[in-house]
Each structure stands twice: as C-alpha cells, then as structure tokens.
Amino acid sequence: FYRTKNGIYPEDSIKEAHRYIDAGFEAFKLKIGFGVEEDIVFLKAIRDAVGNKIKIMADANGAYNAAQARRIIKATEDLNLYFYEELLAPENIKGYQEIKNLSGSYIAAGEQVFGKMGYQPWLEQRALDIIQPDLCSSGGITECKKIAAIAQANQVVMIPHVWGSGIGIAASLQFIASIPPSPISLNPTHPLLEFDQSSHPFRKNLIFDGIAMNNGKVQIPTKPGIGVEVDRSIIMEYKIN
C-alpha cells in the first residue's frame, strides 16, 4: 500500500486491497501518516470497500504525536482495526501509554527497538499491546527468541515486524513458526507473518520465489537452513563496488 507520485487515493488503494483479497489474503496493513484528516478519510474508505471480515492494520511509521494519534484512534474507532502500528516516535514510551486502551484496537510498535534489554522497559511499563521486533535488526533469531520469552512471561503478544529481502522473510517465517501463541488457550491467537508484496528483486527473485501462500496461509519451506536457496546472480546484478 505504498503511494506513487501520480496515484489517486484512496481509489488506487481500494483496487490494491481487492487484488489482495482475490489472492487469498485475509488481512493487510495500510500505510498511513499522510495527515490526520487524510488518514481518517482513507481508513474509512478502505473499510467501506472491503467489508468487516478483513483484518486491517494501519502503520504510520512514527508520523504523529500523542494528541494527533488520539484523534485518529477515536475518529476510526468504529472501523474495528486490528491494530495501529507506530503512531508515535519509537522512543516515546509515555506517549504510547497515553494512547493505549483508547479503543478496542491494539497498539503495536517496536521494529526499531533492539534486543531484550531494549524491550524490557516497554514490557515493564505496559506501553504496548503488541511488540514487533524485527529479526534483521533486533538481534537475530537467538535474541528474538529471548524477546519472545519475556513477552510471553509478561502476557504481551508478539508479532514480528518483517520487511526487506526474501532472506529476511524466509528467516522470519521459520522464527514465527517456532513461537507459541500468547496466551496459550483453547482458541489462541496465532502469530501473523507480515508477508511483503511490494515489487522489488530482493523479495522474490533473490530466493527463487521460494515462499508460497495458499488460501491465506503461507507455507513453511522445509529445505535446510531457513528453507530457501539464494540466487547469487541477483546479488551480483545489483552489486555496487
């Protein structure tokens, strides 16, 4: 849901949303952060276009302060968004505490927090409903397993952030498959995979298009390592000396 210079919005995003639904997606994340009022109109337009069964998340990449975020949350409360992501700057723990619990939608953040020690104050201060460590920038598989353990101990849901190359997606998929639902219950909420659909060679071509989705579920590759092979010719093609 990135925007292009000559795009028309929300019309272009509505068309994109329908393409994902036709492809079997049951949830998607919208890019927001273009202004409070514009975001409110945009979110309402997408929800109206796709109906209530699709899970919608909205990512502002830290575009707002707490007052602006509160305005967006309250104005879109009836849209039943699954979560709002990074409405505030990544260091603003107090701000996240202010906007948490304003609606039934979850508050998520954390892609720019590093390691278990970085996450500890966020968990201690109950600042987020969902934490989002990124495997490629939060310390790798070993450190993220530790983050998952302390999140589970604090009864906080963890949905890893995933964006970048096919290698990152593949590694994250293997990691997510190892995370137990939190809390463990009769009908648990299972972790989601953020399955990048943007068009760039390092997503599909780099791993020989080695990750597939069927009926809304991403299949976990069973090959050795992270389950995919790397096409080194793609690396050489785009290498800069």
Side-chain angles (χ1 to χ4, degrees), residues 166-167 170-171 174 206-211 221 223-230:
I167 294 171
Q174 297 289 338
L206 184 62
I207 57 170
F208 296 99
D209 198 12
I211 301 176
K223 294 179 180 179
I226 60 172
V228 294
E229 296 180 22
V230 176

Side-chain angles (χ1 to χ4, degrees), residues 134 136 161-169 196 198 200 202-204:
D134 190 304
C136 296
H161 177 269
V162 185
W163 187 87
S165 73
I167 294 171
I169 295 173
D196 180 18
S198 57
H200 59 81
F202 293 131
R203 181 174 71 84
K204 296 177 68 173

